[in-house]
Amino acid sequence: MLARFLALLASGEIGFLKRRVKTAVIGYGAAALAALAGAVFLVYAGFLVTAEQVGPTVAALYFGVGFVLLAIAIIIVFKIVAAMQRRAQRRRLAADRSAMAGASAMAMLPVLISRKGGMSVALVALAGLAGFAAYRAMQNPDDDHDD
């Protein structure tokens, strides 16, 4: 998408892109307002039907409690999703750190081997990395108690 934007910028068609974006924003904004108005009228119609059956005060209480419960449910869902995203990000960061450590160890391997007695140092380092990898593989990945 960035390449397309840069190509439009280079070819001088940025005015055309600006008009397209402006038209899209106006169209989608109008559609969103119409949808919001429709939703408001549907809720109001439901309120009127409920008010005819149980009275206006009780209907207002029902709708008020219903919207408060809906807000609480939305907040709970967002907190659950945020916690899941934090855990996934921690896992990605841990994987990135492991990959970076492995890459740096492999980059240092030729330097260690080129020195006198370096082969034994390199083998010890590789054995340590293999042991650490085995240790990480044996750990239960669901033990995230630092929430």
Side-chain angles (χ1 to χ4, degrees):
M1 183 167 184
L2 181 61
R4 184 174 178 196
F5 175 72
L6 292 175
L8 286 174
L9 186 63
S11 67
E13 295 182 15
I14 198 72
F16 175 71
L17 179 66
K18 183 179 174 185
R19 280 191 302 274
R20 273 185 40 197
V21 168
K22 184 178 177 182
T23 304
V25 166
I26 290 171
Y28 285 122
L33 285 175
L36 180 64
V40 167
F41 278 106
L42 286 173
V43 169
Y44 185 61
F47 175 77
L48 289 177
V49 169
T50 307
E52 284 179 4
Q53 293 177 355
V54 296
T57 306
V58 175
L61 286 172
Y62 285 167
F63 273 71
V65 168
F67 280 114
V68 167
L69 291 176
L70 179 64
I72 290 170
I74 290 171
I75 288 171
I76 288 171
V77 166
F78 274 117
K79 287 196 177 271
I80 290 170
V81 168
M84 290 170 57
Q85 288 174 343
R86 279 193 307 271
R87 277 195 295 272
Q89 184 180 10
R90 276 197 301 263
R91 277 190 234 113
R92 278 193 306 270
L93 288 175
D96 289 348
R97 281 189 217 115
S98 297
M100 212 179 302
S104 64
M106 293 306 286
M108 289 298 295
L109 194 59
V111 174
L112 290 174
I113 292 174
S114 67
R115 294 186 178 167
K116 184 176 181 181
M119 185 58 100
S120 60
V121 172
L123 289 175
V124 168
L126 285 174
L129 282 173
F132 181 71
Y135 167 75
R136 294 289 292 179
M138 296 302 288
Q139 276 187 331
N140 190 358
D142 295 332
D143 287 343
D144 288 336
H145 297 295
D146 57 316
D147 287 339

